Amino acid sequence: MRATAVSLCGAAALVTGLVVAVPSAAGTDTRAVPRTAHTPHPLTWKKCATKDHPKLQCASLKVPLDHDHPHGEQITLALSRIAHTAKRYQGPLLVNPGGPGGSGLTMAGFVAKTLPAKVAAGYDVIGFEPRGVGRSKPALTCRPGHFKPVRPATVPHTAALEKANLNRARAFAAACGKKYADVLPFIDTVSAVKDMDAIRAALGAHKINYFGYSYGTYLGAVYGKLFPDRVRRMALDSVVDPHNVWYDANLTQDHAFDSRHKAFMAWVARHHKQYRLGKDPAKIEARWYAMRAALAKKPAGKKVGAAELEDTFMPGAYFNGYWPFLAEAFSSYARTKDTDLLVEAYENFGAVDAAGDNSYSVYTSVGCRDAAWPRDWEQWRRDNWRTHAKAPFMTWNNAWYNAPCAFWPVRSLHHPDVTNTSLPPVLLFQATDDAATPYEGAITMHRKLRGSSLVVEQGGGNHGITLSGNACLDRHLAAYLTDGKVPHSGGEVDAVCKPLPDPKPKGAARAGAGAATGDAAGSGAELHRLLGFRG
């Protein structure tokens, strides 16, 4: 689960239903779950229509920075809404795109537009920017330009490369601590969950419905643990492994990303006539790594070095609709050393703007606070070299992305056990070959949420699979949101859907940015823009 655009991947120990968060190697944090939230001011909704979402409304909500001190310092959450229109009102449906650090305002418009009209009409679809994100205040940006090209190559083959990357990680952590010392102790999943309950109260709802992707599945599971009596329905798509928060989850991700990259190489091989890179996936993959080595020595357009190349191709592991564009850029460079398409691909997929700086700042702030990370760099070195030996595509890139947690200025908390026997039926969706949230995590969550149902996209590899063109998956989601129906098989998997076919070349890459962000990338493109490339 990774923050948007660089976008893939809890904070408490549970004791008999009450949460007490304990910082590792520190004294007890006495923040307890508020069973009765303070009463927020009513929300004032104003028009904030966009071309794509003409009925979108926005509001803001004050919440405590520290929910244990509700009358202390306040922060502001930004909210959005598509109001219900049906006579049968089913309550608010909170939606979240993941991250942590994902922007949620546009998500409300997308979900309301993409669900069947009769289903969406029954809900107030509510988007929200979690604390620290986007239009919420304060919005965190620890170190602007942290991902400015050209960065040191990620694979630390030399002591100098390792030192350079370590210095970047230390500098980022130090910048966060210097700028946000008073805020960082409260940027975590449990605090965000308490914000969600404040949103519920401000909406005047006794219970909420919830729909989350990626990290949003973990956010939902923690909400369900803390406030099980306040959940009406909950759908979770591309499910985080709640047992591996967060250091081990990233090492598991690395193997899954490598497998997905190999699937892309096999697709390129099947389309040799279009890309002329050969018919042997292993040899094509070798050419990709040769490209990475060459760019480490001479970056394309003075922008795309080895690290930026990895950032550019990671989105292909999230969404295969991007494969034609990435394959064309790869082919152009590998065969003729033409860098134009490669630079264009980087600008579409890998470059980080101000929103990306914000997203990454929240990603690290939540992840580093949520759970314990090794503080001994030797363990990182040992674990990542061992993983890199089997999964060289993204292991070290992922390690440096998370490395600020080794130097984080705020002590980590213990993440909650989300095991739950008190929720209404929860509906889970998972692709078997998802790289960002590997399949085993969905099985774990399914077991932990008693009475939940798991719908599997067998052979699918995309991250975020509902509302992206698969009618079988969407029928299950629509039925659940309409009347709470879930499939039950009595086995480990409750329903199976076939994946959408892989894309065809069709010259889509020549559409430039349109291929990266528009119709040329397929019907799931809009969703995957919202989910981000590392979140």
Side-chain angles (χ1 to χ4, degrees):
M1 294 61 56
R2 303 182 69 170
T4 302
V6 180
S7 239
L8 318 198
C9 353
L14 288 163
V15 182
T16 61
L18 291 181
V19 172
V20 179
V22 183
S24 59
T28 299
D29 180 345
T30 58
R31 296 186 302 161
V33 176
R35 299 312 300 170
T36 303
H38 72 291
T39 303
H41 293 293
L43 296 171
T44 301
W45 295 99
K46 299 179 180 180
K47 292 182 179 180
C48 58
T50 67
K51 180 180 179 181
D52 292 333
H53 309 296
K55 296 182 180 180
L56 197 67
Q57 299 173 316
C58 292
S60 61
L61 174 65
K62 295 283 187 181
V63 297
L65 175 64
D66 178 356
H67 281 275
D68 274 357
H69 298 89
H71 302 295
E73 182 178 352
Q74 303 290 296
I75 60 175
T76 303
L77 304 179
L79 312 180
S80 63
R81 178 179 75 168
I82 299 291
H84 74 283
T85 56
K87 291 183 179 180
R88 183 193 174 201
Y89 177 48
Q90 303 224 48
L93 174 64
L94 273 65
V95 296
N96 181 273
S103 173
L105 294 185
T106 307
M107 195 75 191
F110 168 78
V111 170
K113 178 181 70 175
T114 313
L115 281 171
K118 290 184 179 180
V119 178
Y123 291 92
D124 286 339
V125 185
I126 307 294
F128 63 100
E129 303 274 47
R131 53 176 57 203
V133 176
R135 296 184 186 178
S136 291
K137 297 177 182 179
L140 275 56
T141 299
C142 294
R143 190 170 184 248
H146 182 71
F147 290 96
K148 182 180 179 180
V150 174
R151 311 196 312 271
T154 61
V155 183
H157 289 303
T158 68
L161 279 174
E162 183 176 50
K163 181 179 180 181
N165 280 299
L166 279 171
N167 286 342
R168 290 184 69 254
R170 285 194 182 97
F172 188 88
C176 286
K178 183 177 180 180
K179 292 180 71 172
Y180 303 112
D182 295 337
V183 175
L184 290 185
F186 306 101
I187 305 295
D188 59 82
T189 296
V190 165
S191 294
V193 158
K194 294 176 184 179
D195 291 344
M196 288 170 58
D197 203 56
I199 295 171
R200 175 202 59 78
L203 292 168
H206 177 61
K207 295 186 178 185
I208 64 166
N209 306 279
Y210 179 79
F211 179 31
Y213 290 89
S214 193
Y215 164 77
T217 66
Y218 183 67
L219 194 67
V222 175
Y223 183 88
K225 184 66 180 188
L226 271 58
F227 305 106
D229 56 323
R230 299 174 188 173
V231 175
R232 180 174 178 266
R233 291 175 188 160
M234 181 178 291
L236 308 177
D237 183 331
S238 302
V239 184
V240 167
D241 188 337
H243 183 68
N244 287 334
V245 178
W246 294 112
Y247 180 76
D248 289 339
N250 281 283
L251 293 171
T252 302
Q253 254 188 357
D254 295 335
H255 293 281
F257 273 116
D258 203 78
S259 294
R260 197 62 186 149
H261 188 59
K262 284 180 167 61
F264 171 48
M265 297 294 105
W267 180 86
V268 173
R270 291 196 298 273
H271 295 287
H272 168 66
K273 183 177 180 181
Q274 176 78 19
Y275 301 115
R276 291 178 287 169
L277 288 170
K279 298 182 179 181
D280 184 338
K283 291 181 179 179
I284 295 172
E285 187 177 23
R287 296 185 74 171
W288 191 91
Y289 285 110
M291 175 173 64
R292 183 170 75 170
L295 292 170
K297 296 177 180 178
K298 185 181 179 181
K302 298 181 179 180
K303 287 185 178 181
V304 187
E308 290 75 23
L309 180 76
E310 294 159 355
D311 295 344
T312 301
F313 277 76
M314 177 178 271
Y318 282 79
F319 178 49
N320 61 8
Y322 299 140
W323 286 1
F325 188 85
L326 295 172
E328 189 72 19
F330 174 22
S331 173
S332 184
Y333 180 88
R335 293 188 303 104
T336 69
K337 292 297 184 290
D338 185 341
T339 63
D340 288 349
L341 283 179
L342 196 61
V343 171
E344 186 178 359
Y346 164 72
E347 291 172 345
N348 285 329
F349 297 120
V352 179
D353 57 12
D357 282 335
N358 167 241
S359 182
Y360 180 66
S361 297
V362 176
Y363 170 87
T364 48
S365 297
V366 172
C368 299
R369 178 64 167 155
D370 263 4
W373 295 76
R375 294 286 180 156
D376 179 4
W377 183 253
E378 180 56 36
Q379 181 177 343
W380 290 69
R381 181 187 292 119
R382 182 173 60 251
D383 289 343
N384 282 282
W385 274 122
R386 184 186 301 118
T387 304
H388 173 84
K390 296 181 178 180
F393 171 51
M394 286 300 303
T395 293
W396 276 106
N397 186 297
N398 206 12
W400 297 122
Y401 196 85
N402 291 280
C405 293
F407 313 104
W408 203 245
V410 180
R411 293 184 183 274
S412 299
L413 303 165
H414 291 291
H415 67 275
D417 178 0
V418 300
T419 300
N420 207 317
T421 61
S422 302
L423 289 173
V426 174
L427 186 57
L428 311 176
F429 294 92
Q430 183 66 39
T432 56
D433 300 336
D434 182 355
T437 52
Y439 179 74
E440 294 75 15
I443 297 297
T444 300
M445 186 74 85
H446 186 25
R447 291 170 179 167
K448 284 183 172 290
L449 304 183
R450 191 178 72 178
S452 63
S453 292
L454 175 59
V455 179
V456 167
E457 188 182 58
Q458 184 67 42
N462 289 340
H463 179 67
I465 54 175
T466 57
L467 304 185
S468 58
N470 189 316
C472 175
L473 297 169
D474 291 350
R475 280 195 298 270
H476 285 291
L477 178 62
Y480 179 63
L481 292 178
T482 298
D483 55 23
K485 287 184 179 179
V486 296
H488 273 305
S489 71
E492 190 172 65
V493 173
D494 297 287
V496 175
C497 292
K498 295 180 180 179
L500 296 173
D502 284 338
K504 296 180 180 179
K506 293 184 178 179
R510 292 299 179 184
T517 59
D519 292 339
S523 61
E526 185 175 358
L527 171 65
H528 290 86
R529 290 199 304 276
L530 293 171
L531 299 188
F533 301 145
R534 287 192 170 178

